[in-house]
Amino acid sequence: DAMVIQNPRYQVTQFGKPVTLSCSQTLNHNVMYWYQQKSSQAPKLLFHYYDKDFNNEADTPDNFQSRRPNTSFCFLDIRSPGLGDAAMYLCATSRDLTRGNQPQHFGDGTRLSIL
Amino acid sequence: AQSVTQPDIHITVSEGASLELRCNYSYGATPYLFWYVQSPGQGLQLLLKYFSGDTLVQGIKGFEAEFKRSQSSFNLRKPSVHWSDAAEYFCAVGGRSGGGADGLTFGKGTHLIIQP
């Protein structure tokens, strides 16, 4: 009964070829996050959606974009992947924060390789 | 800006021995603190969280953590580790900033090795 589901688990793309990673949730959470985790490093927040409001971190490259067509789904688009974008990408969700900060629930991640 | 420091990159513990993983944070207001565990190739699983109230919090898998405001610390403990506890452990701090959700700021992680 996975609650945050990321597809695919492993993605291989070519240098410069656009790629999309997907995340779906069954928790009906308001907030969805995307993190990038490079090898042996901590996850780093790229951006998040609070309902339909998109919030980009200041240092997230323009190459990274996101879409959230509905509550359940969120996509990470990398327009022109470079070798430095090879990483694990983690999706997370949390509840409406107006009731207080709630823990984030993570998916198992998508490991992206760039050829 | 908020930050988290996990001073130990690797820790090796014998199976059955006690464990303490250190975490220090920097945050301008009352922090929300978390410990997550990550097995190889997996996502992050929440072990425990501190929002307010009792400074000693209990989590899953027999873990506990103690919030010490005076030391800006939130150390994770377990009285007796099992081989299955071998993993990467991340301490994280989160909060709210005007009108929106905050992502988590993670420490760099501590890699726990269990020896027989």
Side-chain angles (χ1 to χ4, degrees):
Chain A
D1 56 345
M3 296 178 288
V4 182
I5 303 163
Q6 292 189 243
N7 285 307
R9 290 296 310 279
Y10 301 92
Q11 176 74 56
V12 181
T13 191
Q14 293 178 332
F15 182 94
K17 184 174 181 181
V19 66
T20 295
L21 310 182
S22 79
C23 176
S24 63
Q25 55 136 335
T26 59
L27 298 163
N28 202 34
H29 282 174
N30 295 68
V31 193
M32 296 187 76
Y33 308 81
W34 279 103
Y35 290 84
Q36 179 192 63
Q37 185 180 24
K38 295 189 176 180
S39 182
S40 301
Q41 295 185 22
K44 180 179 178 302
L45 181 67
L46 294 173
F47 29 57
H48 72 269
Y49 271 94
Y50 190 105
D51 294 327
K52 293 185 177 181
D53 294 332
F54 178 70
N55 299 271
N56 200 30
E57 291 299 296
D59 56 355
T60 298
D62 293 340
N63 199 24
F64 291 84
Q65 298 184 343
S66 186
R67 295 170 284 133
R68 189 179 185 186
N70 54 54
T71 300
S72 300
F73 286 87
C74 194
F75 300 99
L76 169 62
D77 299 309
I78 308 177
R79 289 192 296 183
S80 181
L83 297 178
D85 297 328
M88 173 81 92
Y89 290 87
L90 296 166
C91 175
T93 72
S94 69
R95 279 188 194 170
D96 186 349
L97 292 188
T98 57
R99 299 190 191 129
N101 200 297
Q102 299 294 318
Q104 295 181 17
H105 299 261
F106 284 81
D108 284 337
T110 294
R111 183 167 295 283
L112 177 66
S113 299
I114 313 295
L115 299 180
Chain B
Q2 59 204 48
S3 66
V4 177
T5 302
Q6 293 180 247
D8 303 307
I9 298 173
H10 300 277
I11 281 189
T12 301
V13 178
S14 297
E15 190 170 15
S18 63
L19 169 71
E20 183 169 30
L21 302 183
R22 295 182 291 166
C23 172
N24 292 95
Y25 68 89
S26 173
Y27 191 72
T30 300
Y32 301 113
L33 295 161
F34 307 85
W35 274 99
Y36 284 87
V37 60
Q38 186 178 34
S39 297
Q42 303 292 318
L44 282 78
Q45 181 183 23
L46 179 69
L47 287 176
L48 47 78
K49 61 185 184 291
Y50 172 78
F51 288 169
S52 64
D54 193 347
T55 56
L56 184 63
V57 293
Q58 303 296 321
I60 62 171
K61 304 185 179 185
F63 286 93
E64 65 177 27
E66 186 171 11
F67 170 61
K68 292 185 177 180
R69 185 187 298 275
S70 62
Q71 298 176 18
S72 297
S73 69
F74 188 57
N75 294 349
L76 181 71
R77 300 194 293 251
K78 186 170 184 177
S80 176
V81 297
H82 186 262
W83 65 266
S84 60
D85 293 325
E88 193 81 16
Y89 290 79
F90 291 97
C91 181
V93 65
R96 291 186 64 186
S97 63
D102 279 350
L104 296 174
T105 298
F106 287 89
K108 292 187 176 180
T110 297
H111 185 65
L112 177 63
I113 301 165
I114 308 296
Q115 61 184 21

